[in-house]
mmCIF file of all heavy atoms in Angstrom:
data_model
loop_
_atom_site.group_PDB
_atom_site.id
_atom_site.type_symbol
_atom_site.label_atom_id
_atom_site.label_comp_id
_atom_site.label_asym_id
_atom_site.label_seq_id
_atom_site.Cartn_x
_atom_site.Cartn_y
_atom_site.Cartn_z
ATOM 1 N N GLY A 1514 17.005 4.799 -21.776
ATOM 2 C CA GLY A 1514 15.666 4.340 -21.995
ATOM 3 C C GLY A 1514 15.635 2.927 -22.536
ATOM 4 O O GLY A 1514 16.565 2.470 -23.210
ATOM 5 N N PHE A 1515 14.582 2.183 -22.205
ATOM 6 C CA PHE A 1515 14.467 0.749 -22.613
ATOM 7 C C PHE A 1515 13.572 0.598 -23.850
ATOM 8 O O PHE A 1515 13.594 -0.443 -24.465
ATOM 9 C CB PHE A 1515 13.860 -0.044 -21.473
ATOM 10 C CG PHE A 1515 14.812 -0.391 -20.375
ATOM 11 C CD1 PHE A 1515 16.118 0.037 -20.415
ATOM 12 C CD2 PHE A 1515 14.404 -1.179 -19.305
ATOM 13 C CE1 PHE A 1515 17.025 -0.299 -19.384
ATOM 14 C CE2 PHE A 1515 15.250 -1.508 -18.273
ATOM 15 C CZ PHE A 1515 16.544 -1.040 -18.318
ATOM 16 N N ARG A 1516 12.765 1.613 -24.214
ATOM 17 C CA ARG A 1516 11.702 1.305 -25.162
ATOM 18 C C ARG A 1516 12.235 0.980 -26.533
ATOM 19 O O ARG A 1516 11.589 0.265 -27.256
ATOM 20 C CB ARG A 1516 10.699 2.463 -25.205
ATOM 21 C CG ARG A 1516 11.278 3.787 -25.671
ATOM 22 C CD ARG A 1516 10.169 4.810 -25.822
ATOM 23 N NE ARG A 1516 10.691 6.101 -26.147
ATOM 24 C CZ ARG A 1516 9.973 7.083 -26.664
ATOM 25 N NH1 ARG A 1516 8.698 6.895 -26.889
ATOM 26 N NH2 ARG A 1516 10.533 8.270 -26.936
ATOM 27 N N MET A 1517 13.419 1.467 -26.917
ATOM 28 C CA MET A 1517 13.984 1.100 -28.224
ATOM 29 C C MET A 1517 14.300 -0.394 -28.283
ATOM 30 O O MET A 1517 14.381 -0.960 -29.344
ATOM 31 C CB MET A 1517 15.234 1.939 -28.523
ATOM 32 C CG MET A 1517 16.454 1.593 -27.681
ATOM 33 S SD MET A 1517 17.846 2.676 -28.067
ATOM 34 C CE MET A 1517 17.314 4.219 -27.360
ATOM 35 N N HIS A 1518 14.512 -1.009 -27.099
ATOM 36 C CA HIS A 1518 14.836 -2.434 -27.062
ATOM 37 C C HIS A 1518 13.569 -3.270 -26.804
ATOM 38 O O HIS A 1518 13.421 -4.360 -27.360
ATOM 39 C CB HIS A 1518 15.833 -2.686 -25.942
ATOM 40 C CG HIS A 1518 17.072 -1.851 -26.007
ATOM 41 N ND1 HIS A 1518 17.977 -1.957 -27.050
ATOM 42 C CD2 HIS A 1518 17.515 -0.844 -25.201
ATOM 43 C CE1 HIS A 1518 18.965 -1.046 -26.876
ATOM 44 N NE2 HIS A 1518 18.701 -0.405 -25.762
ATOM 45 N N THR A 1519 12.697 -2.777 -25.917
ATOM 46 C CA THR A 1519 11.455 -3.531 -25.623
ATOM 47 C C THR A 1519 10.407 -3.419 -26.714
ATOM 48 O O THR A 1519 9.588 -4.336 -26.868
ATOM 49 C CB THR A 1519 10.857 -3.072 -24.290
ATOM 50 O OG1 THR A 1519 10.564 -1.688 -24.367
ATOM 51 C CG2 THR A 1519 11.834 -3.306 -23.130
ATOM 52 N N HIS A 1520 10.436 -2.312 -27.445
ATOM 53 C CA HIS A 1520 9.463 -2.109 -28.559
ATOM 54 C C HIS A 1520 10.178 -1.598 -29.785
ATOM 55 O O HIS A 1520 9.945 -0.474 -30.231
ATOM 56 C CB HIS A 1520 8.362 -1.125 -28.101
ATOM 57 C CG HIS A 1520 7.545 -1.615 -26.956
ATOM 58 N ND1 HIS A 1520 7.944 -1.422 -25.627
ATOM 59 C CD2 HIS A 1520 6.373 -2.247 -26.942
ATOM 60 C CE1 HIS A 1520 7.049 -1.933 -24.844
ATOM 61 N NE2 HIS A 1520 6.070 -2.443 -25.593
ATOM 62 N N PRO A 1521 11.084 -2.349 -30.376
ATOM 63 C CA PRO A 1521 11.748 -1.905 -31.602
ATOM 64 C C PRO A 1521 10.755 -1.731 -32.735
ATOM 65 O O PRO A 1521 9.786 -2.482 -32.828
ATOM 66 C CB PRO A 1521 12.791 -2.972 -31.865
ATOM 67 C CG PRO A 1521 12.216 -4.202 -31.269
ATOM 68 C CD PRO A 1521 11.445 -3.755 -30.022
ATOM 69 N N THR A 1522 11.039 -0.737 -33.575
ATOM 70 C CA THR A 1522 10.183 -0.547 -34.724
ATOM 71 C C THR A 1522 10.336 -1.701 -35.704
ATOM 72 O O THR A 1522 9.374 -2.164 -36.314
ATOM 73 C CB THR A 1522 10.580 0.759 -35.438
ATOM 74 O OG1 THR A 1522 10.709 1.821 -34.473
ATOM 75 C CG2 THR A 1522 9.487 1.182 -36.446
ATOM 76 N N ILE A 1523 11.533 -2.233 -35.807
ATOM 77 C CA ILE A 1523 11.844 -3.345 -36.679
ATOM 78 C C ILE A 1523 12.666 -4.353 -35.850
ATOM 79 O O ILE A 1523 13.577 -3.970 -35.157
ATOM 80 C CB ILE A 1523 12.630 -2.930 -37.932
ATOM 81 C CG1 ILE A 1523 11.838 -1.887 -38.714
ATOM 82 C CG2 ILE A 1523 12.999 -4.138 -38.789
ATOM 83 C CD1 ILE A 1523 12.658 -1.303 -39.867
ATOM 84 N N GLY A 1524 12.290 -5.622 -35.928
ATOM 85 C CA GLY A 1524 13.001 -6.660 -35.216
ATOM 86 C C GLY A 1524 12.301 -7.152 -33.989
ATOM 87 O O GLY A 1524 11.189 -6.734 -33.663
ATOM 88 N N ASP A 1525 12.933 -8.120 -33.296
ATOM 89 C CA ASP A 1525 12.316 -8.753 -32.117
ATOM 90 C C ASP A 1525 12.566 -7.952 -30.859
ATOM 91 O O ASP A 1525 13.681 -7.425 -30.645
ATOM 92 C CB ASP A 1525 12.877 -10.170 -31.960
ATOM 93 C CG ASP A 1525 12.539 -11.077 -33.104
ATOM 94 O OD1 ASP A 1525 11.486 -10.866 -33.713
ATOM 95 O OD2 ASP A 1525 13.384 -11.960 -33.454
ATOM 96 N N PRO A 1526 11.572 -7.871 -29.992
ATOM 97 C CA PRO A 1526 11.770 -7.179 -28.699
ATOM 98 C C PRO A 1526 12.731 -7.974 -27.803
ATOM 99 O O PRO A 1526 12.764 -9.209 -27.835
ATOM 100 C CB PRO A 1526 10.373 -7.113 -28.086
ATOM 101 C CG PRO A 1526 9.630 -8.235 -28.726
ATOM 102 C CD PRO A 1526 10.198 -8.349 -30.120
ATOM 103 N N GLN A 1527 13.486 -7.282 -26.993
ATOM 104 C CA GLN A 1527 14.424 -7.901 -26.068
ATOM 105 C C GLN A 1527 13.873 -7.736 -24.643
ATOM 106 O O GLN A 1527 13.497 -6.644 -24.253
ATOM 107 C CB GLN A 1527 15.829 -7.260 -26.184
ATOM 108 C CG GLN A 1527 16.436 -7.415 -27.548
ATOM 109 C CD GLN A 1527 16.608 -8.838 -27.995
ATOM 110 O OE1 GLN A 1527 17.048 -9.671 -27.242
ATOM 111 N NE2 GLN A 1527 16.184 -9.162 -29.232
ATOM 112 N N PHE A 1528 13.881 -8.793 -23.891
ATOM 113 C CA PHE A 1528 13.357 -8.773 -22.539
ATOM 114 C C PHE A 1528 14.440 -8.328 -21.547
ATOM 115 O O PHE A 1528 14.944 -9.114 -20.734
ATOM 116 C CB PHE A 1528 12.785 -10.129 -22.160
ATOM 117 C CG PHE A 1528 11.660 -10.549 -23.087
ATOM 118 C CD1 PHE A 1528 11.880 -11.463 -24.116
ATOM 119 C CD2 PHE A 1528 10.389 -10.019 -22.949
ATOM 120 C CE1 PHE A 1528 10.911 -11.837 -24.973
ATOM 121 C CE2 PHE A 1528 9.362 -10.388 -23.839
ATOM 122 C CZ PHE A 1528 9.611 -11.299 -24.826
#
Side-chain angles (χ1 to χ4, degrees):
F1515 283 1
R1516 62 175 176 162
M1517 70 182 72
H1518 307 294
T1519 58
H1520 297 85
T1522 314
I1523 302 172
D1525 296 328
Q1527 300 300 314
F1528 300 102

